[in-house]
Amino acid sequence: MGFFKRPAPATDACALGSTAVAVPLQPGCGAPPGCPVVIVDGDGRPRRATTPAGRKVELRPGELAWAFHPGPYTITIVPYAQAPEIGLSTTFAIDPLDPAPAGKRFDLYLAAEGDGRIDVGLLAAAVQDAVRAALAHGALDLPPCCGIDEWNAFRLGLNQLLYLRFGLTVDDCVPVELDDVDYAAQLAARAAGTLGAASQPAAVETVEPALADAKALRRLFLELPCVMCGLRLGALPSGQDQFRRQQALLQRLDRVSVEITTMPALVLAAPGQPLAPGEQLRRMRHSRRAAAALDEAWALLARLEGADDDKLSALYDEAERIVANLEADCAGRRAAGVAQEAA
């Protein structure tokens, strides 16, 4: 599939553990000491290399490899964009062994989202986006002046979210006050964005459609089966009604997964018929929205773990909404035109 084709960048192992979490390895390069190696085959499936440190990593045609440093790393994220002076200093590590039965989550992150070197800043930005989205959708709750029980509940949710979404184990998280916030620059940028949106009803895409579409489809293809596995194991239904709801959700997700594997090319309306650039942008937006729904699914799985019967029904309601969004955007991505999409 075309969305698994990625360039093989140069190796920069010296930054591992400081400014970089993971770096790609060229064929024939040695594995850095203390750094596990993840190999991704031509179909996007990750596996751990058994090559001893210092020995050359052998890759088959079409395979890519990353070496990663387990950490720990400390980052500062801003959970609320409206309160840039409030930060969370978060220390995390990556378990090099990771006994998860469904596979090593950080390996899946590299296979599905890795495009070259993974800097600490890049991962910090992804973590911040995930936390902000979880807070916005109610998957996490961090009230102002929260008590110890509320903080412990937030920490538990944060731990589950970052592990299920990225494979990160949170060692510590404390609130910090940020005193280097440029409020004038933020207000100016917000005003410019508002004026730009008002003067341009159709926002100009700043990303290459083919690249964005391929990244989103790659994530859906690789991560959706793992989401289905997590839904099966996250919270076992205690009654027939809940069991039927779980099975119905899994069947719908299975159909979405089949649609992803048979998704038409971005640039073709039909065999031999090119698709107009505007329709390509529309398709790309659908694939990106489906990837955003996938992020919501990971956040939901974090809440399913250990949920009791009272919460499970409400969580299944949320799951049905997420699956409906996945279905709608996958159908929109398959459609060759707006008329067909509406039909």
Side-chain angles (χ1 to χ4, degrees), residues 132-151:
R132 286 183 176 182
L135 288 167
H137 291 102
L140 289 177
D141 186 23
L142 183 60
C145 303
C146 63
I148 186 65
D149 292 336
E150 293 171 319
W151 174 255

Side-chain angles (χ1 to χ4, degrees), residues 113-139:
E113 302 183 60
D115 279 304
R117 167 172 153 161
I118 307 296
D119 287 317
V120 176
L122 178 69
L123 187 55
V127 168
Q128 177 172 277
D129 289 344
V131 172
R132 286 183 176 182
L135 288 167
H137 291 102

Side-chain angles (χ1 to χ4, degrees), residues 108-187:
L108 177 62
Y109 170 71
L110 288 177
E113 302 183 60
D115 279 304
R117 167 172 153 161
I118 307 296
D119 287 317
V120 176
L122 178 69
L123 187 55
V127 168
Q128 177 172 277
D129 289 344
V131 172
R132 286 183 176 182
L135 288 167
H137 291 102
L140 289 177
D141 186 23
L142 183 60
C145 303
C146 63
I148 186 65
D149 292 336
E150 293 171 319
W151 174 255
N152 288 337
F154 169 77
R155 273 297 313 271
L156 178 60
L158 179 70
N159 296 352
Q160 293 172 328
L161 173 66
L162 296 193
Y163 177 74
L164 285 176
R165 177 66 181 84
F166 303 102
L168 308 180
T169 301
V170 179
D171 293 331
D172 194 18
C173 180
V174 294
V176 293
E177 186 173 348
L178 306 178
D179 55 5
D180 58 348
V181 180
D182 190 343
Y183 292 100
Q186 291 197 8
L187 290 173

